Amino acid sequence: MTQPNESGTGFAFRLAARTGRARAGHFRTPHGEVQTPAFMAVGTLGTVKALDPDDLHAIGAQMILANAYHLHLRPGDDVVRDLGGLHRFMGWDGPILTDSGGFQVFSLETLRTVSEDGVEFRSHIDGSRRYFTPESVMQIERNLGADVIMQFDHVIPGQSDALASRDASERSLRWLVRCQAEFERMRRDGETEGAGYSDETREADGGPPPRTNLPAAFPPTVTTSSLAVPEDRALSSSSPQALFPVIQGGIHADLRREAARSVRDMNDWIGYGIGGLSVGEAKPDMYAMIEAVDAELPDDRPRYLMGVGFPEDLIEGVRRGVDLFDCVAPTRMGRNGTAFTSEGRLNVKRAEFRTDPRPLDPDCECATCRRFSRGYLRHLYVSDEILGLRLLSLHNVHFLTALMRRARAAILDSSFPAWSEDWLARHHSRTALTP
Amino acid sequence: MTQPNESGTGFAFRLAARTGRARAGHFRTPHGEVQTPAFMAVGTLGTVKALDPDDLHAIGAQMILANAYHLHLRPGDDVVRDLGGLHRFMGWDGPILTDSGGFQVFSLETLRTVSEDGVEFRSHIDGSRRYFTPESVMQIERNLGADVIMQFDHVIPGQSDALASRDASERSLRWLVRCQAEFERMRRDGETEGAGYSDETREADGGPPPRTNLPAAFPPTVTTSSLAVPEDRALSSSSPQALFPVIQGGIHADLRREAARSVRDMNDWIGYGIGGLSVGEAKPDMYAMIEAVDAELPDDRPRYLMGVGFPEDLIEGVRRGVDLFDCVAPTRMGRNGTAFTSEGRLNVKRAEFRTDPRPLDPDCECATCRRFSRGYLRHLYVSDEILGLRLLSLHNVHFLTALMRRARAAILDSSFPAWSEDWLARHHSRTALTP
């Protein structure tokens, strides 16, 4: 449909079809192609909780997430680097994206201090003092070695006022400039083994490093050289990475538009993150923010709605042009005994399922539904058996993955508007029935 | 080598080779053949902890275990029956054996009262009063529907004196007579759906049922009709079952021999359990007891050493003619972070493995060792990630399963005496080095 955006670095995005604002695309990365729209399962600590890579392949998962904050604290991004990078570490040969840790650091509330330079915080594990700057986060994400790395951004609560939202959004833009500069510097400086930020150095000083000279304001110089990495390193532990900016702005459409324009003017980014949503705001506000940035973002780049979400959020996002999603909900809810099904959510622990021979969802083709009854799954939960956690996590990740596959097929054959309206109508009728 | 023991019920045992006392055989069951010697993984509650049936197939597991006591309490053997029996319930289409619950009930110590009729005990889950008799346990195991079911026996501590050992052994023999009678009665009474012992009835009365007229003494009438079940039910949820007796007698060779003779004279059993070992006695005593019963047991029937064991116990058992083993050690130790390896045990949580890129055991071909480093596995344990529990359990069950495959190959090519001596010498030299 559109010309592929060939970057020469192993990254490219090509739109295959569009129906209304919904898009079906191909996002090529050094570790394989992602057919969009797609849901990315979250492997915070280098494992999608309770699942292994074979489970993910069987589900049809394409790209997965890991988290820089968590992996920096445990086992240490230097350890991951020394063990060959995230792909080898976790045995996943497909594309990986790392979140920068912005969300985690700002969630620490009482444990952190924000300055223009960065964020000082205490580890949630051992209380040790740590310091994140845009530069150090780039170094951490370089050590981890994911295909796509997110900028370090300033995340605020979902209902923040315009002043706080503008402050965080503008800081995120200034930090993006610094992230990009560090990203470039690491590349120029040869990317030799051990060239990254040393964990020992970081931990030894225990406090803020000397403040660097910040760019006076954004937008900074536009560069495209960030795409120039030799193709032959595509599958090594230091294969090319793409830095995605994150668009902030709270629930204020003007701030969102302004941030999107500034980010776009700054660089020809390989993809764009839309952050700071699904953090407490009302759903209509979230949808409005996606609409606000739509016209400001280039058509031929993937759009990633961070931390979203539930099945209905994915459908609403796709209707508004989003290509990539991630959320811990399917695995977290799975461990809690709750399954997504085509008939709504199901709590497998309920007594009514004691002798129920049916699968969780008769319409589902996942390895859990093909093999096990609700009665058996209930038994596993009641008996605290580990297998139950895996089987429901597997089902839930499959549910969202398959939902996006179905949406993509509907975009490709132009049935998406009718299909998605029908899907949402059924969803809302079920929700209305549930007191 | 020997003539197959064709029972006409879906069960048969054929010896393929023997080297010294060690035997390689084929044990046919209604759900497939077991190549012996074999280690059976333990799925106490209808799941080999942290593993799923595909994991077990990939490991090469042939026959697995479940436990009547645990499944009676949770979810209830009637629930398992209503959901199609254990095979369908847990999604395992291979052979299954159920332990009778004797070991569990007698382990309750302060919570149980033993009489000649049976054992009154309190559930370890909710403290509810329960009552097991040889008859009720047969009904429970019938509901569960495993291929091989064990008699209800009187299990005593490993260092019990001769008087206590004789008392328990003789009671076990009298209970075997009652188990067999009930096993026959259920078969004669048509095996219709719901003909089994009703859980509601059991729970409603809350105490001992009226004492039945016991056979005055053993040995009772020898029957062979227990083998006469139509072949066409072999794969239904009520496929034919084989009742295995359990030989007790503590660590007293004369009692063991006497029990073995009595059991053998009682019936042409499809197989024989050797119980009450690996319960606190010294290893030489355990080995001596296997040797004591060897000459008393028919050559052409499988011998199952219950609750054993560790790698060296399996080798020592095979050298003394044992065909089947089971133990919770591989999964329990796996959940605790300890791996069996060809170089001895390895605690994966140790700091020295932080950046160790090697697999748990370089000689292992399991799905864990093929994919993951010690560094990654250590990280999963340190971070309390569920996947770690599965990966080590998988490795450990594979280790014992592969050890028995290796032993079988050595028996078949007559290298077993040399191979096993070498294996044990290496094992003991490692043990000696470990302070």
Side-chain angles (χ1 to χ4, degrees), chain A residues 35-61:
Chain A
Q35 300 204 313
T36 62
F39 174 77
M40 301 184 284
V42 178
T44 304
L45 275 158
T47 158
V48 177
K49 288 190 192 301
L51 303 182
D52 79 353
D54 288 347
D55 293 328
L56 294 168
H57 282 300
I59 283 166

Side-chain angles (χ1 to χ4, degrees), chain A residues 45-47 49-55 71 74-75 79 83 89-91 335 354-357 371-373 375-376 379-380 382-383 385-387 389-390, chain B residues 45-47 49-55 71 74-75 79 83 89-91 335 354-357 371-373 375-376 379-380 382-383 385-387 389-390:
Chain A
L45 275 158
T47 158
K49 288 190 192 301
L51 303 182
D52 79 353
D54 288 347
D55 293 328
L71 288 166
R74 217 167 38 183
V79 170
L83 286 167
F89 183 63
M90 63 189 295
R335 293 196 303 285
R354 191 159 172 262
T355 57
D356 191 333
R371 296 183 294 176
F372 300 109
S373 64
Y376 182 65
H379 164 63
L380 295 180
V382 170
S383 305
E385 285 286 351
I386 294 164
L387 181 59
L389 310 178
R390 173 159 166 249
Chain B
L45 275 157
T47 159
K49 289 191 192 299
L51 302 182
D52 81 350
D54 288 347
D55 294 327
L71 288 165
R74 216 165 42 182
V79 169
L83 286 166
F89 182 63
M90 63 188 293
R335 293 196 304 283
R354 192 157 170 265
T355 57
D356 191 333
R371 296 183 292 175
F372 301 108
S373 64
Y376 182 65
H379 164 63
L380 295 179
V382 170
S383 305
E385 285 286 351
I386 294 164
L387 181 58
L389 310 178
R390 174 158 165 250

Side-chain angles (χ1 to χ4, degrees), chain A residues 63-332:
Chain A
M63 184 166 194
I64 62 175
L65 214 84
N67 187 272
Y69 165 82
H70 286 284
L71 288 166
H72 167 67
L73 295 182
R74 217 167 38 183
D77 48 282
D78 54 336
V79 170
V80 175
R81 179 199 62 207
D82 291 350
L83 286 167
L86 259 183
H87 293 88
R88 184 175 301 174
F89 183 63
M90 63 189 295
W92 174 253
D93 54 5
I96 303 177
L97 179 150
T98 42
D99 195 3
S100 69
F103 178 80
Q104 283 73 27
V105 168
F106 285 97
S107 300
L108 292 172
E109 298 190 353
T110 59
L111 297 173
R112 47 107 174 137
T113 315
V114 186
S115 70
E116 181 61 24
D117 186 60
V119 183
E120 187 182 34
F121 61 97
R122 289 189 179 276
S123 160
H124 74 282
I125 297 169
D126 59 8
S128 61
R129 280 174 56 182
R130 307 280 178 143
Y131 195 71
F132 271 7
T133 64
E135 291 77 15
S136 73
V137 168
M138 285 299 97
Q139 292 157 10
I140 291 168
E141 293 195 87
R142 180 74 193 152
N143 279 341
L144 296 174
D147 299 273
V148 173
I149 69 177
M150 304 305 297
Q151 76 155 106
F152 187 55
D153 56 346
H154 187 162
V155 181
I156 52 173
Q159 289 160 322
S160 301
D161 63 23
L163 195 66
S165 298
R166 174 173 292 280
D167 176 63
S169 177
E170 295 190 350
R171 178 164 300 105
S172 294
L173 288 162
R174 291 189 299 271
W175 284 359
L176 174 59
V177 175
R178 291 168 55 193
C179 283
Q180 191 194 12
E182 179 63 13
F183 185 73
E184 296 293 333
R185 185 198 66 74
M186 290 189 296
R187 176 166 295 162
R188 277 194 314 273
D189 288 359
E191 303 166 282
T192 53
E193 194 86 14
Y197 193 51
S198 151
D199 206 51
E200 288 71 20
T201 316
R202 275 200 298 264
E203 289 176 18
D205 63 16
R211 176 122 172 201
T212 54
N213 286 322
L214 293 177
F218 59 87
T221 316
V222 173
T223 79
T224 53
S225 63
S226 63
L227 305 179
V229 170
E231 189 78 39
D232 62 0
R233 305 191 57 187
L235 292 172
S236 78
S237 62
S238 57
S239 62
Q241 297 184 300
L243 170 62
F244 276 25
V246 179
I247 293 160
Q248 294 287 353
I251 53 172
H252 307 281
D254 51 340
L255 290 177
R256 288 276 172 183
R257 272 189 292 267
E258 193 178 313
R261 274 194 297 269
S262 300
V263 164
R264 183 181 181 166
D265 289 343
M266 197 184 296
N267 192 9
D268 180 22
W269 305 101
I270 290 174
Y272 292 79
I274 304 170
L277 293 173
S278 202
V279 289
E281 79 284 2
K283 291 215 171 190
D285 287 335
M286 173 168 84
Y287 304 146
M289 293 308 101
I290 307 170
E291 292 168 6
V293 299
D294 178 39
E296 309 298 337
L297 296 180
D299 232 26
D300 59 351
R301 290 293 189 274
R303 300 160 178 198
Y304 159 37
L305 182 57
M306 303 174 72
V308 176
F310 292 99
E312 65 274 23
D313 299 332
L314 267 60
I315 299 294
E316 296 283 7
V318 171
R319 281 159 67 95
R320 292 166 175 84
V322 176
D323 305 297
L324 295 168
F325 303 87
D326 81 283
C327 192
V328 297
T331 42
R332 183 171 290 170

